[in-house]
Amino acid sequence: MPSHNQHETDVLIVGAGPAGSSAAHYLAQQGVQVTLVDKAVFPRDKICGDGLTPAAVNELALMGINTDGWMRNLGLQVVGGGHDIKFPWPEQRSLPGFGMARSRMELDEELVRHAVKSGAELIEGVTVNELITDHDGRVIGAKGQKGRGQDAETYEYRARLVVDAGGVAARLATSAGRTALEKRPMAVAARTYFTSPLGDTDWMISHLELWDGKPGESNLLPGYGWIFPLGNGRVNVGLGSVSSTKAATKLPYKQIFQAWTQNLPEEWGFTPENQDGPLRSAALPMCFNRKPQYHAGLAITGDAAGLVSPFNGEGIAPALAAGRYLAQAYASARSRQTIHGFDLAMEAYPQALKQQLGGYYTLGRIFVRLIEKPQIMRACTKYGLPRKHLMKLVHKLLSDGYERQGGDLNDRIIQTLAKVVPSA
Ligand SMILES: Cc1cc2nc3c(=O)[nH]c(=O)nc-3n(C[C@H](O)[C@H](O)[C@H](O)COP(=O)(O)OP(=O)(O)OC[C@H]3O[C@@H](n4cnc5c(N)ncnc54)[C@H](O)[C@@H]3O)c2cc1C
């Protein structure tokens, strides 16, 4: 006989990736009863570039994660338009002067264990597939299942707040009608691992052009590539492309990847013998592609809310930061006596996302519309990269590495630009 389990909790978080674990950690720290449910059993893999910009490193520090011994990097090495230029991460008031790379197998395991240490209850191996609503359509819980057939166990959770942190599939958000917005950018990217002498080097390499032979003398392939050193002689190598609408570009990633990597320097060792695991791809939802981020008992966060940056495909830092904003909003909401008061207080969550990332992501939508045209991308790469002062600004812009207040001239230019455009 299938067994049935019932739980009551303050906050039910579905998905224990960076977004879910961060929210669970911050909520549990406030003494909130949090139940974090994931269909996977940790440690589990996630298709990702494993890159952590200073913004992500800073979020980890705020959470109190001990990153001693993690692979650090000094900045971005950008290759394209006949240039090969290093851009160090600047040391800033609000951000450290280094980035990191950590395999998601390890990173997500550490984040979820951290949330548990902070007091969250973790339930693994349960797929949550259905919201429970009251007669007004308000979300009051969710139903899940572990296993199938005779051995299936069903779960029913009742909670004051349900959070969809279930990644790009956004199952609960979709079932509540929060479907992906048509005109928000969507990227697709693929990655694998290699053993390589680059594994212990200091720079995250970014190839703005992919060639199937000698650069400038062979065929230009669509997409952009990266090589991120992970330490212990391993690198994460991948490529992706972005489209300004939800209809993501459909490229033959495997073929492009092969043509690109076969022609990279032989000593880097990107051969089938050195490859560790298959090339796997996934989508990156960007620029708040699902809304609202809170309504009637259901909050959405991380990839489920399309929080990935359109500038660089970074989704970990915004997912971690969103957990912080969500918990802050709930801290006020939980003391409210009425549903109306609760909902009003929870509005602080979308408001914080808008304030921190709204204008910035609107700029990102313009950026994507430009770079999806290869001729514009090529001209920017060729003429922009060697301009030192311009690139300092671009580097801050692309990595979300600008100060939100004060800072230098570049910070203030980006702040002004992000303010003059309407929020995404
Ligand atoms: C190829 C590629 C490269 C990338 N490179 C980078 C990078 O270098 N740096 C960076 O910052 N970002 C990168 N990203 C983006 C980044 O991976 C995501 O933005 C990030 O993982 C979002 O975190 P999340 O917690 O929202 O979702 P996820 O990390 O996807 O976690 C979602 C969790 O929810 C669980 N889940 C899903 N559905 C259910 C369900 N119905 N019931 C229960 N559990 C469920 C899943 O098992 C999973 O554990 C990359 C993405 C791709 C595809």
Side-chain angles (χ1 to χ4, degrees), residues 37-93:
V37 184
D38 202 292
K39 63 181 181 184
V41 174
F42 285 81
R44 64 100 180 88
D45 198 12
K46 155 79 179 85
I47 303 168
C48 188
D50 306 332
L52 301 167
T53 61
V57 172
N58 192 52
E59 288 300 332
L60 294 170
L62 292 179
M63 286 178 73
I65 302 272
N66 181 0
T67 56
D68 288 351
W70 293 24
M71 184 64 185
R72 293 185 176 194
N73 54 65
L74 303 177
L76 263 188
Q77 181 175 354
V78 182
V79 184
H83 312 288
D84 184 339
I85 303 176
K86 286 180 172 146
F87 298 98
W89 301 118
E91 185 82 46
Q92 304 199 100
R93 192 183 61 221

Side-chain angles (χ1 to χ4, degrees), residues 223-306:
Y224 325 103
W226 72 81
I227 302 163
F228 292 165
L230 284 165
N232 299 323
R234 287 180 91 218
V235 284
N236 179 315
V237 185
L239 59 83
S241 69
V242 62
S243 137
S244 58
T245 69
K246 80 169 187 181
T249 49
K250 288 190 177 66
L251 296 177
Y253 293 98
K254 238 184 191 149
Q255 282 137 272
I256 299 171
F257 188 84
Q258 264 170 6
W260 170 50
T261 51
Q262 270 168 12
N263 287 291
L264 290 173
E266 209 174 307
E267 61 274 18
W268 291 0
F270 296 156
T271 59
E273 310 81 70
N274 291 336
Q275 189 171 340
D276 178 11
L279 182 75
R280 295 176 65 204
S281 67
L284 296 90
M286 299 171 157
C287 291
F288 302 156
N289 85 329
R290 285 175 200 267
K291 281 184 158 184
Q293 292 125 352
Y294 174 76
H295 178 69
L298 176 67
I300 61 176
T301 185
D303 277 11

